[in-house]
């Protein structure tokens, strides 16, 4: 299958590192012009330099803005009048005792993980439907369906994204615009290696360490290793393509079989 995104403009929120950066690279490799987003111009410029090195000939547009605010979303819309592929990747996470999470923390998770994506969808979906082609995606998590007791606030935000995604897919019915979410599982992003070595023998190689971690702490994973960011990006690139034209309103799993379910 040859995926060609030439002539398409993509926006990937929270793409200065991790899964977002891998998605930005994957979309650019398929020919899209990709807007790279993070909160500060310095971090965004640094990411663009790294991406341009990894994807020779790739076209990257730096767009620094805190998209969890109305003002930040408006700044993005001014910088990018037309977006064909919107990937709502931005998400924050962290463990907290469920009986200790404050009202402000609940609101922050909703604002950053859900409302930011809703706002950007509101800004860019009308243009896509007018042009008769578009792709909106939300990066959800296994925590959307397997709610961790220590991350109820995070799980809530990711479950909400699945609802938002399904709803906007209905809104875009019959327009040529598809709307989907991707359920990412435990992924090998920055900081994860330190986290793993806190839980397993420090003398193990990374390969052995992640297998021991998965066996002891994530036994429900069928992959039994962490997912690489590029593996999540592959699904996002496919969903962004012309070839994925009949896939909409779905929640597609790249979770290494972590969620114990036959569907989707
Ligand atoms: N990592 C996993 O194992 C995993 C598993 C399942 C799902 N996910 C989901 O995948 C997505 C990406 O996760 P990740 O681990 O790759 O994230 P990450 O490494 O923590 O990166 C977060 C990104 O978001 C940016 N960012 C943070 N706040 C922002 C804001 N207000 N406005 C704009 N950009 C902002 C950061 O850039 P700056 O610091 O430069 O602003 C950074 O590029 C999230 O939605 C997460 O919930 C992750």
């Amino acid at each position: 299958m040859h995926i060609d995104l030439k002539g398409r403009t993509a926006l990937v929120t929270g793409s200065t590192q991790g899964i977002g950066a891998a998605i930005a690279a994957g979309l650019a490799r398929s020919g899209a012009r990709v807007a790279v987003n993070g909160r500060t111009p310095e971090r965004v410029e640094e990411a663009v330099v790294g991406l341009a090195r990894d994807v020779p000939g790739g076209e990257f547009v730096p767009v620094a803005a805190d998209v969890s605010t109305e003002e930040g979303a408006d700044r993005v819309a001014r910088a990018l009048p037309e977006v064909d592929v919107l990937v709502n990747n931005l998400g924050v996470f962290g463990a907290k005792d469920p009986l200790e999470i404050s009202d402000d923390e609940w609101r922050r998770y909703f604002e950053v993980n859900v409302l930011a994506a809703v706002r950007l969808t509101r800004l860019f979906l009308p243009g896509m439907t007018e042009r008769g082609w578009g792709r909106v995606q939300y990066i959800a998590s296994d925590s959307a369906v397997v709610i961790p007791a220590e991350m109820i606030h995070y799980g809530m935000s990711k479950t909400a994204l699945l609802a938002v995604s399904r709803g906007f897919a209905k809104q875009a019915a019959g327009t040529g615009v598809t709307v989907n979410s991707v359920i990412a599982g435990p992924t090998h992003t920055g900081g994860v290696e330190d986290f793993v070595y806190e839980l397993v023998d420090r003398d193990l190689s990374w390969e052995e360490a992640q297998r021991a971690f998965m066996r002891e702490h994530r036994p429900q994973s069928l992959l039994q290793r962490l997912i690489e960011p590029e593996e999540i990006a592959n699904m996002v690139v496919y969903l962004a393509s012309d070839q994925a034209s009949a896939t909409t309103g779905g929640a597609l799993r790249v979770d290494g079989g972590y969620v114990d379910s036959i569907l989707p």
Side-chain angles (χ1 to χ4, degrees):
M1 188 181 293
H2 176 68
I3 291 176
D4 185 2
L5 296 175
K6 270 192 227 73
R8 308 286 187 204
T9 296
L11 164 64
V12 186
T13 62
S15 47
T16 60
Q17 65 178 48
I19 295 170
I23 293 171
L27 292 169
R29 250 178 227 117
S30 291
R33 169 177 172 258
V34 182
V36 177
N37 165 251
R39 285 162 293 188
T40 63
E42 297 74 25
R43 289 258 305 151
V44 173
E45 282 298 342
E46 200 185 315
V48 164
V49 169
L51 285 162
R53 198 177 43 229
D54 293 348
V55 187
E59 201 185 336
F60 297 100
V61 185
V63 182
D66 178 345
V67 295
S68 70
T69 67
E70 215 173 327
E71 189 214 346
D74 286 343
R75 184 161 340 129
V76 172
R78 279 196 301 276
L80 300 167
E82 284 187 8
V83 166
D84 307 299
V85 178
L86 168 62
V87 183
N88 292 293
N89 166 74
L90 167 63
V92 289
F93 45 96
K96 270 245 161 92
D97 181 330
L99 298 177
E100 308 260 309
I101 309 166
S102 65
D103 289 1
D104 281 347
E105 197 66 347
W106 276 103
R107 280 189 203 100
R108 187 172 83 88
Y109 270 80
F110 180 74
E111 297 256 340
V112 178
N113 288 6
V114 186
L115 194 52
V118 170
R119 253 191 222 114
L120 290 173
T121 307
R122 250 175 6 211
L123 283 169
F124 292 115
L125 185 58
M128 292 181 195
T129 53
E130 262 168 48
R131 295 189 296 278
W133 196 96
R135 300 286 185 259
V136 180
Q137 300 185 39
Y138 303 87
I139 305 303
S141 161
D142 52 85
S143 299
V145 273
V146 184
I147 308 292
E150 76 289 359
M151 291 206 287
I152 301 177
H153 50 307
Y154 176 67
M156 166 287 296
S157 71
K158 293 297 179 179
T159 314
L161 273 187
L162 300 186
V164 165
S165 172
R166 179 73 193 168
F168 276 118
K170 287 184 177 173
Q171 165 73 24
T175 63
V177 178
T178 67
V179 184
N180 291 287
S181 42
V182 173
I183 297 185
T187 305
H188 183 191
T189 50
V192 162
E193 291 192 21
D194 294 340
F195 173 67
V196 165
Y197 278 112
E198 277 169 24
L199 297 168
V200 303
D201 184 349
R202 289 205 168 264
D203 294 332
L204 295 176
S205 68
W206 169 242
E207 204 48 46
E208 293 163 337
Q210 63 170 310
R211 290 202 182 273
F213 166 75
M214 297 305 287
R215 202 169 48 244
E216 291 159 28
H217 300 279
R218 299 287 185 275
Q220 60 277 53
S221 161
L222 305 181
L223 196 62
Q224 281 296 301
R225 65 165 171 78
L226 290 165
I227 298 159
E228 291 301 322
E230 293 70 26
E231 294 178 298
I232 313 278
N234 289 341
M235 175 66 87
V236 174
V237 173
Y238 168 68
L239 287 174
S241 71
D242 281 330
Q243 286 92 332
S245 48
T247 301
T248 191
L252 291 102
R253 288 165 53 190
V254 190
D255 67 343
Y258 187 89
V259 176
D260 192 356
S261 159
I262 293 167
L263 290 173

